[in-house]
Amino acid sequence: MSKYVDIAKNVVHLIGGEKNISHMEHCSTRLRFSLRDNSKVQLEALKKVPGVMSVITGVQLQVVIGNEVVEVYQEVEKIVGVISQRAVSSDKQGFGTRFLDFLIGVFQPLVPAIAGGGVLKSLLVLFSVLEWLDNTSHTYRILTMIGDAPLYFLPLLVAITTANKLKVNPLVALSTVGVMLLPAMSTILAIEGGASLFGYTLQKIDYAYQVFPAILTVLLYAQIETFFTKFTPKALRIFLVPLMSMVITAPIALMLLAPLGYNLGTYLAAFILYLYDLLGWIAVGLLAGVLPFMVVTGMHKAMLPYAISTYSSLGKEILYLPASLAHNISESGAAFAVALKTKDKNLRATAISAGISAFCGITEPALYGVTFLYKKVLYSVVISSVISGLYIGINLVEAFALVGPGFPSMSMFISETASQNIIQAFIGFALALMISFVVTYILFNDKPFESVLDNNPTSTTAVENTVNELTQPIYSPVNGQVVELSSVNDKVFASKVMGDGVAFIPTEGKIYAPTSGEVALFNGTKHALGIKTNYGVEWLIHIGIDTVRLNGEYFNLCVTQGQQVNTGDLLCEFDFNKIKDAGYDVTTMLIATDGVKRVQDISLIAVKSGDVVGTILL
């Protein structure tokens, strides 16, 4: 079994199973899920799956895999199967959250096609400048049309992604939107005095390259399809539902929705350009400086509608992509500096790989593997991004392809009319690489646990205390028989995905504190609780297998969230006989979570199986 299969199985299991997924996709480094019930996600366990770099919650659940995301996604698809007709999330999310999730679902899948076509066109310009290819030749013109096709037919691509997101028939939706692009439709819209539909004069608009007309059209189409599917006899649905949906949606789109969408895209691009004019070149530097935080939270995807709309309308983009150039290459320089300076072999290997990825325009491995683990690296990246971004902004660098800026895609900055554009882009590239490398090399040291993502960063002293504490008694949380964790009838615990530890078969229904610390409660179901120690290790006590389904029945907590307890204090009482009668395994696990993993993967001292009464030493 390949490692990709293992990662995929663990991820699907820990996000609540395939039935909990209403939509999924992937980007260059992340699996992205829209879930029916977010409370089913076992977040801490998911973060510890080998092969998972990080997990981001929010609009979508984002599981950061890195450069092997495609292989993992393919295995997830095999497990999950077809989800296009599955019910959409029933979570009571706010409008803003649902709207952003919708935008990401529509625009994210468009990027590969647009990026591929855009880079091809920029390379053709380069070949023309170098006189390798005559720009008047048929070969050049045909290749240019190949590169232009994704943008020209952007309304059709958007129709498919919107229909997939809304769980309606994508081919009928595409056909409905396709009416706008018919050559005959363009001809009739261009007649003198304007074309008339039901006495209403249609606006003369070229809908090629547009985004929002298709989105608004499919939104209406989805409502009409749903209505007629509900009330049409099953024997007639195959033709009557598409017929009625198309014949109602297309005219309304031509008269109202498509012109509205066209104007929306125009106003959006004009608004961004106004802000750019208002702030000037400073805007690029400021955006570059905040991009590390936007990317790590996934909020940079909110820029996609603007970028795609502006690029499709103007054929270039002047803010987001130039700022991304400064940020991406700053990540690369910082990672290479860490690789050169660190004495940690594992960190060096991670930093080299992450530096190469960022050099090529993919920053997530650097962000999660290096930058956000060390505050001084983050400071260096922000400083470099701002300075190089300001340089790029003041020299009005423009991007002519919608792709993540990196060395392989630098042709995206070649302009047929401004020869200095690519030169200034390369200077900005060099500045970002050098500044981040130098500043990181000066500031960085090998002190662990600077993690920006950690709410309670641990000092070096605390790390030393952790090592000492793990050699001291950690007591059994329950009386009963000790068994090896690998023998537990739960693959997640047995495989030590959540961390190392031991298991117990209880003989009484009482849970005691295995060590002193602060109580952490989970999910409100009372079957699991944790102890946060002052030496960096977090201990998870999980009572039973799948007992989360009991929703707290047969459990009685004796402590509250955040309460300080001492070793041996009573934490919880449970009726293990009733739990067993309900069909649940009462095996109880004691797991050392991320604290132990941070101390160079120290393992728990092995415990032999056997009966215990009172306390035991781990």
Side-chain angles (χ1 to χ4, degrees), residues 244-384:
M244 297 305 298
S245 299
M246 293 176 67
V247 80
I248 293 175
T249 303
I252 295 176
L254 288 171
M255 291 187 291
L256 300 174
L257 298 181
L260 177 62
Y262 174 83
N263 291 325
L264 178 62
T266 301
Y267 294 146
L268 176 61
F271 176 70
I272 298 296
L273 291 175
Y274 167 76
L275 291 180
Y276 182 82
D277 290 338
L278 185 65
L279 297 175
W281 49 272
I282 297 176
V284 179
L286 293 177
L287 179 57
V290 300
L291 271 176
F293 306 96
M294 293 180 67
V295 175
V296 83
T297 58
M299 290 305 297
H300 66 303
K301 296 302 180 184
M303 298 292 293
L304 278 177
Y306 147 73
I308 292 176
S309 178
T310 301
Y311 178 59
S312 61
S313 299
L314 305 178
K316 62 182 180 181
E317 202 279 313
I318 59 177
L319 178 59
Y320 174 56
L321 295 175
S324 296
L325 172 64
H327 167 240
N328 292 0
I329 307 308
S330 293
E331 293 285 355
S332 179
F336 286 139
V338 170
L340 184 63
K341 194 171 182 181
T342 186
K343 297 178 182 178
D344 186 323
K345 292 182 180 180
N346 292 329
L347 178 58
R348 180 179 295 113
T350 298
I352 291 173
S353 174
I356 293 172
S357 293
F359 193 80
C360 296
I362 306 297
T363 58
E364 280 88 347
L367 281 163
Y368 295 108
V370 181
T371 304
F372 272 81
L373 294 182
Y374 297 91
K375 292 180 181 178
K376 291 179 181 178
V377 179
L378 176 61
Y379 299 155
S380 303
V381 168
V382 171
I383 291 170
S384 174

Side-chain angles (χ1 to χ4, degrees), residues 408-455:
S409 59
M410 284 301 287
S411 61
M412 65 188 288
F413 296 104
I414 297 175
S415 172
E416 292 183 279
T417 58
S419 60
Q420 290 295 308
N421 195 71
I422 182 64
I423 296 174
Q424 297 299 338
F426 266 115
I427 294 175
F429 183 108
L431 280 174
L433 191 67
M434 291 188 295
I435 293 172
S436 62
F437 182 91
V438 171
V439 176
T440 302
Y441 193 84
I442 293 172
L443 296 181
F444 174 76
N445 55 51
D446 264 335
K447 288 183 180 179
F449 313 127
E450 293 183 309
S451 177
V452 181
L453 299 178
D454 190 350
N455 292 327

